[in-house]
Amino acid sequence: MLPCLHAFIKAEWPKTMTGLPSTSGTTASVVIIRGSKMFVAHVGDSGVVLGVQDDPKDDFVRAVEVTQDHKPELPKERERIEGLGGSVINKSGVNRVVWKRPRLTHNGPVRRSTVIDQIPFLAVARALGDLWSYDFYSGEFVVSPEPDTSVHTIDPQKHKYIILGSDGLWNMIPPQDAISMCQDHEEKKYFMGEHRQSCAKMLVNRALGRWRQRMLRADNTSAIVICISPLQDSKNNLENEEELYLNLAESPCYSSPDTNVMTPSRCCTPPVKVTFFRVFKCSTCQSGTQ
């Protein structure tokens, strides 16, 4: 089956700018809020950060990283990759999963004598849709699509922000800086009455600015910001197309896990404001999947 897959990829699959088959997938961070519960699923090097205010008398909101990047050098990831016959190589200071493929000039079936190139490829150990890493002999993906999952209880008295961002954001803006930027941005808009851009767009623009300052091509940069706070007349105060208000207290929920009857939910989570913005400034695999 391996030769057939290789022949299909060579003949049919779209090519990258360098002429290689474009078979890499994507990272993903997903948050589902149901009442006071936040369900998180995550693969790759996008990430979710929670802003927590420990003391209501103190304005400081600290950043808590909900997810951990699936880097190839992590002991459990390296052990899994090597256990499947794969390997990790450091190239230019970045650890990458090795792509083992027949040389591009090769034609016909793959034999023991076929020259196999070993290319340091992805800088992540898990992703969705990386077909190149599938091993037909083990039936496993060297770059795993299996997500890490977790469940968290949201307390609106202490949890103030949830930020979902791609690696293009987090490579330039540390989690604590991102939370502080959102807090400062919202305070200026509230107290000074300024008509300002959304938190998500603000974060993306600042990240892109830092990419430019370092004279680097920006990686994919996307952000979603969820502000957890009471909002008065939120439906009538939409300031731009990047903002969306959700009243989670009015969302339907199942009355029990064993029934499909829908009943109104009066949960303790207040209305939240969701802002979202993304820019695809695509570099050719600076930090892994695209």
Side-chain angles (χ1 to χ4, degrees):
M1 296 180 68
L2 184 57
C4 295
L5 176 67
H6 173 62
F8 169 76
I9 288 176
K10 287 192 67 176
E12 305 294 338
W13 211 263
K15 300 293 191 296
T16 65
M17 293 179 63
T18 56
L20 296 173
S22 180
T23 58
S24 64
T26 184
T27 68
S29 292
V30 178
V31 167
I32 298 175
I33 300 177
R34 196 71 171 172
S36 62
K37 297 294 183 182
M38 179 176 75
F39 303 87
V40 180
H42 165 71
V43 293
D45 56 1
S46 55
V48 180
V49 170
L50 189 62
V52 181
Q53 184 179 18
D54 295 301
D55 185 352
K57 297 180 181 179
D58 187 348
D59 290 336
F60 177 70
V61 179
R62 65 183 175 92
V64 176
E65 296 182 53
V66 178
T67 58
Q68 181 183 31
D69 290 353
H70 291 127
K71 295 297 186 182
E73 63 268 26
L74 292 176
K76 68 174 183 178
E77 297 297 339
R78 181 186 289 270
E79 181 180 356
R80 181 185 57 77
I81 291 168
E82 294 177 348
L84 294 172
S87 56
V88 177
I89 292 179
N90 187 292
K91 180 182 179 181
S92 303
V94 178
N95 287 284
R96 297 182 180 272
V97 183
V98 172
W99 180 12
K100 298 179 181 179
R101 61 158 178 79
R103 189 154 291 175
L104 288 178
T105 55
H106 172 77
N107 288 306
V110 177
R111 300 184 174 90
R112 290 187 178 183
S113 59
T114 301
V115 178
I116 303 295
D117 288 332
Q118 299 195 38
I119 304 170
F121 195 49
L122 293 185
V124 293
R126 301 195 201 185
L128 300 179
D130 280 292
L131 303 182
W132 65 271
S133 75
Y134 185 72
D135 188 323
F136 278 94
Y137 301 109
S138 66
E140 298 284 350
F141 287 90
V142 176
V143 176
S144 173
E146 182 177 349
D148 282 338
T149 59
S150 59
V151 182
H152 309 265
T153 300
I154 297 297
D155 180 355
Q157 300 304 317
K158 60 184 296 187
H159 296 134
K160 302 303 178 184
Y161 300 98
I162 304 170
I163 303 177
L164 293 83
S166 64
D167 56 334
L169 176 72
W170 301 123
N171 286 344
M172 290 295 113
I173 301 180
Q176 186 60 60
D177 286 359
I179 292 294
S180 298
M181 287 177 183
C182 287
Q183 185 180 13
D184 181 65
H185 188 78
E186 287 293 287
E187 286 178 353
K188 285 182 178 178
K189 181 158 50 174
Y190 179 79
F191 289 110
M192 300 178 67
E194 298 181 18
H195 183 79
R196 304 172 67 86
Q197 61 190 356
S198 69
C199 284
K201 186 173 183 179
M202 176 271 297
L203 288 178
V204 168
N205 286 341
R206 293 198 185 184
L208 293 178
R210 294 185 181 185
W211 281 104
R212 287 192 291 268
Q213 288 176 356
R214 301 185 186 188
M215 301 182 69
L216 296 172
R217 293 181 62 186
D219 206 341
N220 297 336
T221 306
S222 304
I224 297 174
V225 179
I226 301 172
C227 303
I228 305 174
S229 59
L231 296 171
Q232 300 298 327
D233 299 324
S234 58
K235 293 182 181 179
N236 298 323
N237 290 326
L238 294 177
E239 295 187 358
N240 55 62
E241 62 183 8
E242 296 136 18
E243 294 187 345
L244 171 68
Y245 292 92
L246 303 175
N247 190 337
L248 301 182
E250 295 177 354
S251 299
C253 72
Y254 292 106
S255 57
S256 74
D258 302 322
T259 181
N260 290 327
V261 178
M262 301 290 288
T263 58
S265 169
R266 306 306 301 177
C267 61
C268 62
T269 309
V272 298
K273 179 174 69 176
V274 182
T275 66
F276 47 92
F277 197 76
R278 62 181 179 177
V279 172
F280 291 112
K281 300 269 293 183
C282 188
S283 62
T284 54
C285 211
Q286 274 188 337
S287 62
T289 50
Q290 300 174 12

